[in-house]
PDB file of all heavy atoms in Angstrom:
ATOM      1  N   ARG A 138     162.102 -20.649  54.503  1.00 97.00           N
ATOM      2  CA  ARG A 138     163.017 -20.686  53.355  1.00 97.00           C
ATOM      3  C   ARG A 138     164.112 -19.627  53.484  1.00 97.00           C
ATOM      4  O   ARG A 138     164.951 -19.484  52.607  1.00 97.00           O
ATOM      5  CB  ARG A 138     162.238 -20.452  52.052  1.00 97.00           C
ATOM      6  CG  ARG A 138     161.135 -21.463  51.734  1.00 97.00           C
ATOM      7  CD  ARG A 138     161.652 -22.783  51.190  1.00 97.00           C
ATOM      8  NE  ARG A 138     162.709 -22.640  50.207  1.00 97.00           N
ATOM      9  CZ  ARG A 138     162.536 -22.460  48.895  1.00 97.00           C
ATOM     10  NH1 ARG A 138     161.319 -22.390  48.400  1.00 97.00           N
ATOM     11  NH2 ARG A 138     163.565 -22.348  48.083  1.00 97.00           N
ATOM     12  N   GLU A 139     164.041 -18.858  54.585  1.00 97.00           N
ATOM     13  CA  GLU A 139     165.023 -17.782  54.869  1.00 97.00           C
ATOM     14  C   GLU A 139     165.058 -16.720  53.779  1.00 97.00           C
ATOM     15  O   GLU A 139     166.103 -16.156  53.471  1.00 97.00           O
ATOM     16  CB  GLU A 139     166.411 -18.375  55.142  1.00 97.00           C
ATOM     17  CG  GLU A 139     166.390 -19.300  56.351  1.00 97.00           C
ATOM     18  CD  GLU A 139     167.727 -19.950  56.645  1.00 97.00           C
ATOM     19  OE1 GLU A 139     168.502 -20.172  55.705  1.00 97.00           O
ATOM     20  OE2 GLU A 139     167.978 -20.224  57.831  1.00 97.00           O
ATOM     21  N   ILE A 140     163.900 -16.460  53.217  1.00 98.00           N
ATOM     22  CA  ILE A 140     163.773 -15.383  52.228  1.00 98.00           C
ATOM     23  C   ILE A 140     163.441 -14.097  52.986  1.00 98.00           C
ATOM     24  O   ILE A 140     162.534 -14.081  53.826  1.00 98.00           O
ATOM     25  CB  ILE A 140     162.692 -15.742  51.183  1.00 98.00           C
ATOM     26  CG1 ILE A 140     163.225 -16.873  50.300  1.00 98.00           C
ATOM     27  CG2 ILE A 140     162.299 -14.517  50.347  1.00 98.00           C
ATOM     28  CD1 ILE A 140     162.189 -17.570  49.473  1.00 98.00           C
ATOM     29  N   THR A 141     164.220 -13.059  52.705  1.00 97.00           N
ATOM     30  CA  THR A 141     164.080 -11.813  53.454  1.00 97.00           C
ATOM     31  C   THR A 141     163.551 -10.668  52.592  1.00 97.00           C
ATOM     32  O   THR A 141     163.007  -9.698  53.108  1.00 97.00           O
ATOM     33  CB  THR A 141     165.447 -11.390  54.023  1.00 97.00           C
ATOM     34  OG1 THR A 141     166.403 -11.458  52.941  1.00 97.00           O
ATOM     35  CG2 THR A 141     165.885 -12.302  55.149  1.00 97.00           C
ATOM     36  N   ASN A 142     163.767 -10.759  51.280  1.00 98.00           N
ATOM     37  CA  ASN A 142     163.383  -9.676  50.358  1.00 98.00           C
ATOM     38  C   ASN A 142     162.405 -10.209  49.319  1.00 98.00           C
ATOM     39  O   ASN A 142     162.692 -11.213  48.670  1.00 98.00           O
ATOM     40  CB  ASN A 142     164.617  -9.143  49.617  1.00 98.00           C
ATOM     41  CG  ASN A 142     165.601  -8.472  50.541  1.00 98.00           C
ATOM     42  OD1 ASN A 142     165.923  -9.014  51.603  1.00 98.00           O
ATOM     43  ND2 ASN A 142     166.073  -7.313  50.150  1.00 98.00           N
ATOM     44  N   VAL A 143     161.302  -9.520  49.178  1.00 98.00           N
ATOM     45  CA  VAL A 143     160.302  -9.966  48.203  1.00 98.00           C
ATOM     46  C   VAL A 143     160.003  -8.853  47.212  1.00 98.00           C
ATOM     47  O   VAL A 143     159.872  -7.686  47.597  1.00 98.00           O
ATOM     48  CB  VAL A 143     159.012 -10.475  48.892  1.00 98.00           C
ATOM     49  CG1 VAL A 143     159.227 -11.861  49.463  1.00 98.00           C
ATOM     50  CG2 VAL A 143     158.548  -9.524  49.980  1.00 98.00           C
ATOM     51  N   THR A 144     159.927  -9.223  45.949  1.00 98.00           N
ATOM     52  CA  THR A 144     159.640  -8.276  44.868  1.00 98.00           C
ATOM     53  C   THR A 144     158.307  -8.667  44.250  1.00 98.00           C
ATOM     54  O   THR A 144     158.129  -9.812  43.824  1.00 98.00           O
ATOM     55  CB  THR A 144     160.754  -8.339  43.804  1.00 98.00           C
ATOM     56  OG1 THR A 144     161.966  -7.897  44.413  1.00 98.00           O
ATOM     57  CG2 THR A 144     160.430  -7.450  42.611  1.00 98.00           C
ATOM     58  N   PHE A 145     157.388  -7.709  44.223  1.00 98.00           N
ATOM     59  CA  PHE A 145     156.041  -7.983  43.725  1.00 98.00           C
ATOM     60  C   PHE A 145     155.834  -7.419  42.333  1.00 98.00           C
ATOM     61  O   PHE A 145     156.220  -6.275  42.050  1.00 98.00           O
ATOM     62  CB  PHE A 145     154.990  -7.365  44.656  1.00 98.00           C
ATOM     63  CG  PHE A 145     154.936  -7.995  46.011  1.00 98.00           C
ATOM     64  CD1 PHE A 145     155.634  -7.442  47.082  1.00 98.00           C
ATOM     65  CD2 PHE A 145     154.202  -9.155  46.227  1.00 98.00           C
ATOM     66  CE1 PHE A 145     155.599  -8.022  48.339  1.00 98.00           C
ATOM     67  CE2 PHE A 145     154.163  -9.748  47.481  1.00 98.00           C
ATOM     68  CZ  PHE A 145     154.865  -9.178  48.531  1.00 98.00           C
ATOM     69  N   VAL A 146     155.179  -8.209  41.505  1.00 98.00           N
ATOM     70  CA  VAL A 146     154.738  -7.782  40.173  1.00 98.00           C
ATOM     71  C   VAL A 146     153.361  -8.412  39.948  1.00 98.00           C
ATOM     72  O   VAL A 146     153.000  -9.364  40.640  1.00 98.00           O
ATOM     73  CB  VAL A 146     155.708  -8.266  39.067  1.00 98.00           C
ATOM     74  CG1 VAL A 146     157.076  -7.626  39.213  1.00 98.00           C
ATOM     75  CG2 VAL A 146     155.840  -9.789  39.067  1.00 98.00           C
ATOM     76  N   GLY A 147     152.595  -7.881  38.981  1.00 98.00           N
ATOM     77  CA  GLY A 147     151.339  -8.549  38.625  1.00 98.00           C
ATOM     78  C   GLY A 147     150.130  -7.646  38.671  1.00 98.00           C
ATOM     79  O   GLY A 147     150.210  -6.431  38.483  1.00 98.00           O
ATOM     80  N   LEU A 148     148.987  -8.260  38.981  1.00 98.00           N
ATOM     81  CA  LEU A 148     147.674  -7.606  38.881  1.00 98.00           C
ATOM     82  C   LEU A 148     146.916  -7.803  40.191  1.00 98.00           C
ATOM     83  O   LEU A 148     146.974  -8.891  40.760  1.00 98.00           O
ATOM     84  CB  LEU A 148     146.887  -8.239  37.731  1.00 98.00           C
ATOM     85  CG  LEU A 148     147.593  -8.229  36.348  1.00 98.00           C
ATOM     86  CD1 LEU A 148     146.849  -9.109  35.364  1.00 98.00           C
ATOM     87  CD2 LEU A 148     147.733  -6.807  35.830  1.00 98.00           C
ATOM     88  N   ALA A 149     146.199  -6.864  40.640  1.00 95.00           N
ATOM     89  CA  ALA A 149     146.191  -5.498  40.165  1.00 95.00           C
ATOM     90  C   ALA A 149     147.012  -4.649  41.142  1.00 95.00           C
ATOM     91  O   ALA A 149     146.979  -4.886  42.349  1.00 95.00           O
ATOM     92  CB  ALA A 149     144.755  -4.979  40.102  1.00 95.00           C
TER      93      ALA A 149
END
Side-chain angles (χ1 to χ4, degrees):
R138 300 283 317 274
E139 299 178 330
I140 289 165
T141 49
N142 295 46
V143 283
T144 296
F145 293 96
V146 295
L148 305 169

